[in-house]
Amino acid sequence: MERTFAIIKPDAVERNVTGQVLSMIEEAGFKIVGMKKIQLTRKQAEGFYYVHAERPFFGDLCTFMSRGPVIALVLEKEDAISSWRNLMGATNPANAAEGTIRKKLGVSIEENTVHGSDAPETAAYEIPYFFSALELV
């Protein structure tokens, strides 16, 4: 079994589509082993997205991710990272495949409903950024 990290982003929480996202996750065979609703501070968002600090979109991304509550998740499944990436769909909802979360629920390339780890090393950083070992069941 593999674990990956996911976030239901502020735009999805604001639009009350978190239940739809969670249903799609469970229907795809993921086990939710950690889940919490939190409000990131700007500093926490900057720490989480530090790998993008030199990118032109970094400031806007951190503002967006700290504007409202998010749902942080740890998902478990065989090949969880690639399976979650496939379920999320392309970053730009306009380019996402039918049946993906971003195609169904994404608004724009910036407000695309969900985040997910892109590699085992990323998941190894992202999961403990939000969860202690005791919170994963």
Side-chain angles (χ1 to χ4, degrees):
M1 284 297 180
E2 183 177 60
R3 288 183 174 177
T4 192
F5 179 73
I7 296 177
I8 302 175
K9 294 181 177 181
D11 64 296
V13 175
E14 291 163 3
R15 292 182 287 118
N16 293 315
V17 297
T18 57
Q20 291 179 61
V21 174
L22 292 171
S23 289
M24 292 176 78
I25 288 169
E26 290 183 329
E27 288 168 10
F30 288 95
K31 179 180 175 188
I32 299 171
V33 296
M35 180 168 65
K36 62 173 78 171
K37 186 176 188 178
I38 58 170
Q39 170 81 47
L40 292 171
T41 65
R42 172 67 184 233
K43 188 171 181 76
Q44 289 168 328
E46 289 171 353
F48 181 70
Y49 285 108
Y50 80 96
V51 296
H52 299 301
E54 301 304 317
R55 303 256 177 118
F57 60 82
F58 179 72
D60 289 342
L61 175 62
C62 293
T63 298
F64 165 61
M65 290 300 293
S66 60
R67 84 175 187 203
V70 301
I71 309 294
L73 301 156
V74 179
L75 307 176
E76 187 176 79
K77 180 180 177 174
E78 291 290 331
D79 299 315
I81 294 169
S82 63
S83 295
W84 176 238
R85 303 292 297 174
N86 289 335
L87 182 59
M88 285 193 311
T91 302
N92 185 344
N95 300 333
E98 290 298 326
T100 63
I101 293 169
R102 288 175 172 160
K103 185 66 166 187
K104 181 177 179 181
L105 300 170
V107 174
S108 67
I109 195 167
E110 293 85 16
E111 297 191 5
N112 59 14
T113 307
V114 288
H115 162 89
S117 301
D118 60 3
E121 300 77 20
T122 311
Y125 172 78
E126 293 179 340
I127 291 170
Y129 194 87
F130 288 91
F131 292 93
S132 74
L134 293 173
E135 295 175 298
L136 303 177
V137 294

